[in-house]
Amino acid sequence: MYDCIIIGSGFAGAVAADIMAREKGKKVLVLEQRSHIGGNCYDKKDEHGILIHQYGPHIFHTFDREVYEYLSRYTDWLDYSHEVLGYIDGQYLPVPFNLNTLHMVYQEDKAGELEEKLIAAYGEGTKVPILKLRENEDSDIRDIAEFVYQNIFLKYTMKQWGKKPEEIDPAVTGRVPVLISHDNRYFTDTYQGMPKDGYTPMFEKMLSHPQIEVRTGVDAMSVLRFDDYQIYFDNQKFEGPVIYTGAIDELFGCRYGRLPYRGLDFRFEYYEQEEYQPKAVVNYTVSEDYTRITEFKKLTGQTADGTTIVKEYPYAYTGEQGQIPYYAINDPENQALYDEYNKLARNYGNLWLLGRLAEYKYYNIDAIVKRALELVRTIR
Ligand code: UDP
């Protein structure tokens, strides 16, 4: 009845389903555990009519024209350049730390001198990871690095990961490098934007092919069985491709132990006022228990009298009912555990792992779209 089964309907699953059906003419079944499609990019109107991202802010940005054009089949875009402010001792400062931030932190003369030093050391327009900046030989530059480390990275990273910046994968803090430029944008990608009508309508279109059937509210394990390196669907051997985008440890009953993830608690608040904060996202980098506040109207361009915000509280995911794993914690020990599961998965000739949870990786939207396009086009 089906040629292919896909578990999960976030970006990984939706792109996979689209390519399988539209390019390969396959009949596809998508199984989604939640009551809705779109994974963590799911958005909807709240009870006040404000379009919210149920699982935290998602901003599309890419340098990759193919990815941009692919998604543009399914949505128009609202031009949006993401800017973030750090709230530091009563002041809003542009994050990533850039030359504008420098001038807000130091006296004018000193700032001018430091700007010249930074440009001489790294070149105008470059990006320097904070952990690299801290190693500079010039004590003035190290002073800047210390300011950035203490005021932007240390507390935020402790909240987000429960560890210091130097204790986590450098690629993570490297996502937000110091910018040797006067550009306040959070991302410098060529293409940036929000789906004009929201993410959920885009996912609906991606999954609307007549050869795609989506079942929401279904635990894949209630219809699939993984046994003796064979996959069974409704108790019949299923030989077609199975693309799994969920947590890999849970696929195998966590038999080697749980892979650690960070989870997030989202607390939404509504205010009957025009605006709440100066930009869509404000990071609380030195105070508060939450990492950041997102004001949705400023992200989606919606106009409304009131405004809805969300505060994010990170925690260590334990797999308890109701928790959602958001971020893989990439370190050698966890990678070794992942490799065990991956080895097990490779015994199933028709099983493919795809996405943040299945591959235990930190994917941005564009990167997972790219990966899904590449992978699925190789599956016969
Ligand atoms: N980070 C930080 N302070 C900030 C912004 C980011 O310390 O104001 C660090 C933190 O460790 C975070 C990482 O940089 O987890 C990556 O930030 P990004 O904004 O890319 O995180 P995401 O949006 O994926 O949660």
Side-chain angles (χ1 to χ4, degrees):
M1 203 171 152
Y2 303 104
D3 301 312
C4 166
I5 298 176
I6 296 170
I7 295 113
S9 65
F11 267 109
V15 173
D18 172 53
I19 298 300
M20 277 292 179
R22 191 168 49 80
E23 289 188 5
K24 293 173 174 279
K26 304 283 189 205
K27 183 120 181 49
V28 181
L29 174 65
V30 177
L31 299 170
E32 171 56 60
Q33 186 172 17
R34 295 182 195 175
S35 60
H36 61 74
I37 58 169
N40 290 340
C41 288
Y42 173 71
D43 56 11
K44 64 161 195 195
K45 291 243 170 105
D46 69 5
E47 67 264 38
H48 308 285
I50 309 289
L51 182 63
I52 57 161
H53 294 186
Q54 178 96 50
Y55 307 98
H58 287 82
I59 297 113
F60 175 70
H61 56 98
T62 191
F63 287 104
D64 193 308
R65 193 184 172 127
E66 187 203 358
V67 167
Y68 174 72
E69 285 179 353
Y70 168 78
L71 289 179
S72 301
R73 295 177 74 101
Y74 299 106
T75 188
D76 291 330
W77 301 96
L78 179 82
D79 257 343
Y80 172 74
S81 282
H82 192 45
E83 288 186 26
V84 173
L85 296 170
Y87 185 74
I88 294 144
D89 301 331
Q91 204 186 0
Y92 289 110
L93 297 179
V95 171
F97 188 95
N98 63 40
L99 298 178
N100 295 328
T101 325
L102 182 79
H103 283 269
M104 293 170 77
V105 169
Y106 289 88
Q107 298 293 332
E108 198 41 46
D109 287 359
K110 185 74 182 167
E113 197 184 298
L114 291 173
E115 174 170 339
E116 276 176 27
K117 273 199 172 178
L118 283 169
I119 291 172
Y122 298 102
E124 191 149 14
T126 52
K127 303 175 181 179
V128 190
I130 180 60
L131 299 179
K132 282 266 166 289
L133 197 71
R134 290 181 99 201
E135 292 168 2
N136 197 291
E137 286 176 357
D138 185 306
S139 65
D140 275 347
I141 293 183
R142 275 206 316 280
D143 281 351
I144 304 171
E146 192 54 20
F147 176 87
V148 175
Y149 178 86
Q150 291 294 341
N151 290 283
I152 294 177
F153 283 93
L154 181 58
K155 287 265 179 56
Y156 189 103
T157 301
M158 285 303 297
K159 285 188 267 186
Q160 178 71 12
W161 299 97
K163 291 198 168 109
K164 291 185 178 170
E166 59 272 31
E167 292 168 346
I168 63 172
D169 180 351
V172 174
T173 48
R175 290 167 61 86
V176 188
V178 170
L179 301 181
I180 315 298
S181 76
H182 290 272
D183 187 348
N184 282 347
R185 293 174 307 164
Y186 202 68
F187 308 114
T188 54
D189 306 41
T190 328
Y191 307 100
Q192 301 196 36
M194 301 297 292
K196 206 160 198 167
D197 300 317
Y199 283 96
T200 305
M202 173 171 68
F203 278 98
E204 279 164 1
K205 289 204 186 104
M206 292 172 79
L207 294 166
S208 68
H209 193 283
Q211 303 225 123
I212 301 176
E213 179 186 328
V214 181
R215 295 189 201 165
T216 52
V218 176
D219 178 356
M221 291 310 153
S222 67
V223 287
L224 290 174
R225 189 158 48 85
F226 288 71
D227 220 352
D228 283 340
Y229 305 137
Q230 288 287 346
I231 304 175
Y232 297 83
F233 172 62
D234 275 348
N235 289 321
Q236 313 256 328
K237 228 181 235 182
F238 186 82
E239 316 264 12
V242 173
I243 300 170
Y244 180 79
T245 74
I248 190 177
D249 52 345
E250 292 178 7
L251 177 62
F252 296 115
C254 300
R255 68 182 68 170
Y256 304 134
R258 275 200 176 273
L259 275 165
Y261 298 91
R262 295 299 282 176
L264 292 172
D265 235 359
F266 293 103
R267 301 207 194 139
F268 291 85
E269 293 170 12
Y270 173 77
Y271 292 89
E272 284 187 354
Q273 61 197 50
E274 184 64 29
E275 69 165 14
Y276 182 86
Q277 62 188 25
K279 292 283 176 194
V281 173
V282 173
N283 286 357
Y284 284 79
T285 56
V286 288
S287 62
E288 314 306 334
D289 294 335
Y290 42 86
T291 47
R292 59 187 171 191
I293 297 184
T294 299
E295 183 175 10
F296 291 103
K297 273 177 23 174
K298 296 215 155 82
L299 207 62
T300 61
Q302 188 183 5
T303 49
D305 292 339
T307 194
T308 300
I309 63 155
V310 70
K311 296 175 175 166
E312 295 179 42
Y313 295 82
Y315 62 83
Y317 172 82
T318 60
E320 224 172 275
Q321 189 78 21
Q323 292 187 346
I324 297 174
Y326 283 94
Y327 299 93
I329 304 172
N330 291 115
D331 66 21
E333 191 185 337
N334 297 345
Q335 190 57 41
L337 182 55
Y338 175 80
D339 291 344
E340 293 283 300
Y341 283 114
N342 190 29
K343 213 158 91 193
L344 194 57
R346 275 192 270 124
N347 292 312
Y348 294 83
N350 58 337
L351 174 65
W352 279 269
L353 303 173
L354 182 65
R356 267 198 186 206
L357 299 177
E359 296 180 75
Y360 204 64
K361 270 179 82 165
Y362 203 143
Y363 273 120
N364 286 341
I365 294 174
D366 65 330
I368 188 53
V369 168
K370 181 100 182 155
R371 170 83 187 126
L373 289 171
E374 279 171 2
L375 175 83
V376 177
R377 284 174 175 153
T378 66
I379 299 176
R380 289 203 286 139

